[in-house]
Amino acid sequence: MCHARRVTSEPVHPVDPTGADLAALARVVARQRAELERLRDLSATSAVVERAKGVLMAVTGCTPEAAHEELASCARDGNRTLLEQCWLTLGALLPPKERPSAVPPPDEAPATGLRQAAPTGTADLAKTLGRIGRDLVRVGTPQELARCLLDHLAPETEADAVLLYERLPEGGLELIGHAGIDRTLAAQWRYVPPVTGVAALDALRSGRPQWLEDIPVRTDRFLLLGESPGRWPSRAWLPLPDGGSAGAALGVLRRGGGAFALRERELLVAVARLAAGRLRAFDTDREPAGDGVAQAAQAVLDALPGAALLLTPLRTASGEVEDYRIDAVTPEAVDGFGRKGRELAGRRILESYPFIAGEPLWHGCLEALETGLPFESAPFVHQDPVGETLVTATYSVRAAPLGDGLLVTWVRHDRVERQEQRLADVQRLGKLGWANWNLVTGEVSWSEQTYAVLGRRPAQPPLGLLRLPDLALPEDTGPLAHAIAELVRHARPCDVPFRIGTDEGIRHLRLVAEAVTAPDGSPVEVHGFVQDLTPQRSAELALVESERAMLLQRGILQAERALAARLQHALLPLPSKPVRRAGLRIEVAYLPAQSGIHVGGDWFSAIELPDDDALFVVGDVAGHGVDAVATMAQLRFTAKGMVTTGSSLTGALDRLNYLLLHSRDGQITATMVLARYNPDRQVLTWAQAGHLPPLLVRDGEARYLDRPGGILLGASAAPVYESAELRLEPGDRLLLFTDGLVERPGESLEAGLDRLAEAVRVQGSGESGSLDALLTTMIADERRDDVCVLDIRLPVDDVADAHV
C-alpha cells in the first residue's frame, strides 16, 4: 500500500503530505506516536518533543496523547512551532522557591493541562524524566518496560529490582513484568490473591504510594510475598494511575536500607505516571478484529499468495471515512515499517501506511466505497525499506468492495519492466546499442539505441551482419568485413573499430560481437553491440595534435635557448679565477636558471678605466631569450663606453633609461648598479636604478648600503638618479648581486636578504670564505632565475695580482 506516482526511472523524492486528510492523519499519528517513534528511532527534534511530553506527563499525570495535544495547542495559541513550544516548556520547569513537605498522591494530582499545572520537580528531575520518557517509547512489552525502568532507577534511587503487577477482575494481582529477580522467584510471585496486608494491593486500593522503609517494624502490617525481610529492607509500591483508578502497581525494591529521599519519592511517583501511559499504549496498539466475517476472511487470506488486506472503514459522526481497520491480511503483506502478515491485523491503515493519506490511492478507495465499483490504480513508484537502504519498486493496487469494507490487493510487477528500463538507460548513457543476428533464419533484432549509434532511422529495416561494412568509410570497409567473416565462418569473437559518415560528420564506432554455435561448432547466431566512441576518439586526436604542437614549439624554444646561450657566452666571458682591479680582489659568478628553457638577461662588468679607476656593473634585464640577451649586450657595452669616455654614473643611467624608452616597442625594463672605485682615495662612488643594494661586510658585521634615489630603467621619461660614496677599509668585502641569489619560492624578499646577510657574516670578510661556498649555502637545488654576483674585497696587503 503506497502512494501513487507515474512510472519513471528518475530518483524518487519524498512525498509531500500536504494533500492528506489532516484531521484523520493527525488523530492516528497522535495515538500511535510512541510506536512510530520506536520504529523510526528518535531524531534530534523528536527527542526534544518526547522529553517535553514525558515531563508534562510526570507533572500533570496526563496521557501521552493529552500531553502532545496540550503542547500542540499551546504552540497554536502562541503562534509558535511545536519545537519552540517544547523548549519553552522545558525551560519553564525551574525549581520552586518552596518545596512541598510530601509528594502529592496520584489522585490529588491536578488533572488540568500545562497552562494550569505548576511544576513540582527540579530542573535536574525534569531532565531525568525526559530521558526516561524518551527511552520508554522504545519498549514494546511490560517485560521490556520493567527492564527499562530498572536501568534508569538503579543509578537514581539505588533500586535493585522492579516489578509490575496488573489487577485482575477478581481483585488479585498478576505479575506482568519484572527485572532484577530470578525466574524462580518470579514464578512464586506470579499470582497474588486478594488478601489483606499486601502492600501492592494496598497501594491500588488507596491510590497512594506505600513506602516500606523500616521492614522489621512494618512486617506486622504487610505481607512480604513470602520473601525474607532482610533481602530488600527498603521497598516502594506505587499505583499506576489510569483515569479515576489504578489498574497496575509498580514495585521498587532495594537491598540497601533507609528511607527514600524526597527527590527519590518525587521521581518514583513521576515514573509511575510515565509507566501507566506506556501500559495504556500497549493496550491500544491493536484493535479487535471485526465480526465472524472478518475471521472467516482471515482464514481464506491465510491460504492465498500475494499481498491483500480486508479493510473496514472507520467513520466520523458525520459519516466521513477517517481511517480503515485491517481485519484480515495475507502472510506476504508487509507495511511501511516491516510488520508482516497477522502482525497487521487490528491496526489502522494510516498507522501502517501513513504515506497514502491524501494520495490518489486514498481517494480511489473512497470512490470504490461510494460507487461499489472496483478501483485500479495506475502503476506507481515506491521506495521499500530493505535493511538500512531504500529499494525502488513499481506497484499496481486494486480495491474492490466486499460487504461494508474493501478488499485491497497489490502487485509488484516491475522486475521485467525495470530491467528493461535499466538496460535502456545503460545503452543511452554508454552510447551503445545491442544487436542480434540469427544466421539460420536471417532474423535481425536491434535495440532502439543501435539505430541512433549507426545513424539510421527507426523506420528503416535493420541491416544483416554481412551488410554492416556497407556503412563504413572505404578505408575501414576491409578490416570490418574481414572481422565479420572470421566471426561468421570460424566463430572468432571480434572487437573492431570503424568509422561511418553522418550528417554531423565522421563518427567513430566499435563493434564487439561473439557467435553462438551449434553442437557441431558451426555459428548459428551472433549477438553483440556497437558503441559510439566519437567523443573519446575526438579527445585522443586533439591530444595528439596538441602534443605535436608542443613538441614543435619546444624545439623552437630549445633552438632559441641554444642561440641565446652561445650569444651570452660570447658577450659575457667568465674569468676562471679571481682577478685584481685597482688594488681590489674581484671574484665573479654567473649561474643560469635551471627551470625553463630560456636564457636570462643578468650580466656584470668589472674593468679598469684609463685613469686607473675601476668600474663595476651588475644588471638584470626583464625577460628571457634572445631579446633579453641582445638588450643586455647593448646596456653592458653602452654603460662601459659612456663611463670610459667621462660620463658620470648618474648621467650614464639617465642615457641608458632614454635608450630603453626608445628601443623597439619601448616595453623593456632593466635594473642596474654602477660603481666606480678610486684607489688613491679608496672611495667607491655608486648609483642604482631600481636594483637591490650592495652588501658590505666589515669587522664581522654585515649591512646593506643605503640606496641613493633611482628607479628602474625604461619605466619613466623623467627619472631622477642620485649617487652615494663609500670609503673602503682594508679587509672590507662588498657584494653586488642580482635578485636570483636571494629569491626562493614561498619566501619574501626581505627574508632572502636577511638570509644572505647572515651567511656572509658567518663566512667573514677579508680573505676568508669563498664565493663558491656562499653560493652553495644560498642557492636551492633548482634555480628559477639567473644568479650573477660580484664579490669585491680590499685586501689588507695592497699587492696587485693578475688582471683580465
Side-chain angles (χ1 to χ4, degrees), residues 35-43 337 354-355:
E35 178 69 9
L36 292 177
E37 294 296 339
R38 182 179 71 86
L39 293 172
R40 293 179 177 177
D41 202 3
L42 293 173
S43 62
F337 306 101
F355 34 75

Side-chain angles (χ1 to χ4, degrees), residues 520-575:
D520 60 359
S522 61
V524 295
E525 189 175 357
V526 171
H527 56 255
F529 65 86
V530 287
Q531 185 176 16
D532 186 359
L533 301 177
T534 303
Q536 296 93 314
R537 186 58 177 161
S538 298
E540 292 173 1
L541 294 176
L543 180 60
V544 171
E545 188 63 29
S546 176
E547 290 177 349
R548 288 176 181 173
M550 290 177 59
L551 290 174
L552 178 60
Q553 183 66 22
R554 187 174 185 85
I556 295 173
L557 295 177
Q558 287 177 340
E560 181 181 338
R561 175 182 174 86
L563 174 61
R566 288 195 297 269
L567 179 60
Q568 186 184 56
H569 182 71
L571 298 175
L572 198 66
L574 289 173

Side-chain angles (χ1 to χ4, degrees), residues 70-83:
E70 182 65 24
L71 291 170
S73 176
C74 291
R76 289 193 299 269
D77 294 344
N79 195 23
R80 292 183 289 268
T81 66
L82 180 60
L83 184 61

Side-chain angles (χ1 to χ4, degrees), residues 503-629:
D503 296 338
E504 293 82 14
I506 301 299
R507 186 175 294 176
H508 297 264
L509 306 181
R510 172 193 181 200
L511 171 65
V512 179
E514 64 181 4
V516 178
T517 60
D520 60 359
S522 61
V524 295
E525 189 175 357
V526 171
H527 56 255
F529 65 86
V530 287
Q531 185 176 16
D532 186 359
L533 301 177
T534 303
Q536 296 93 314
R537 186 58 177 161
S538 298
E540 292 173 1
L541 294 176
L543 180 60
V544 171
E545 188 63 29
S546 176
E547 290 177 349
R548 288 176 181 173
M550 290 177 59
L551 290 174
L552 178 60
Q553 183 66 22
R554 187 174 185 85
I556 295 173
L557 295 177
Q558 287 177 340
E560 181 181 338
R561 175 182 174 86
L563 174 61
R566 288 195 297 269
L567 179 60
Q568 186 184 56
H569 182 71
L571 298 175
L572 198 66
L574 289 173
S576 59
K577 60 182 180 179
V579 297
R580 290 278 185 158
R581 296 288 184 268
L584 300 176
R585 179 180 180 274
I586 298 98
E587 205 172 349
V588 181
Y590 177 82
L591 301 174
Q594 290 181 328
S595 62
I597 63 173
H598 290 296
V599 176
D602 291 18
W603 55 281
F604 68 91
S605 285
I607 63 172
E608 284 190 354
L609 300 175
D611 57 0
D612 295 331
D613 286 0
L615 176 66
F616 304 107
V617 187
V618 169
D620 185 0
V621 177
H624 296 82
V626 175
D627 290 343
V629 174

Side-chain angles (χ1 to χ4, degrees), residues 1 297-298 301 306-312 325-330 332-335 341 344-345 349 352-353 356 398-400 402 405-410:
M1 297 287 293
Q298 181 62 64
L301 293 185
L309 301 174
L310 178 61
L311 305 180
T312 296
R325 185 181 65 240
I326 303 174
D327 286 341
V329 58
T330 58
E332 295 184 17
V334 181
D335 71 358
L344 302 178
I349 200 70
S352 298
Y353 308 96
I356 73 167
R398 186 177 189 273
L402 181 62
L406 287 175
L407 180 63
V408 179
T409 58
W410 65 96

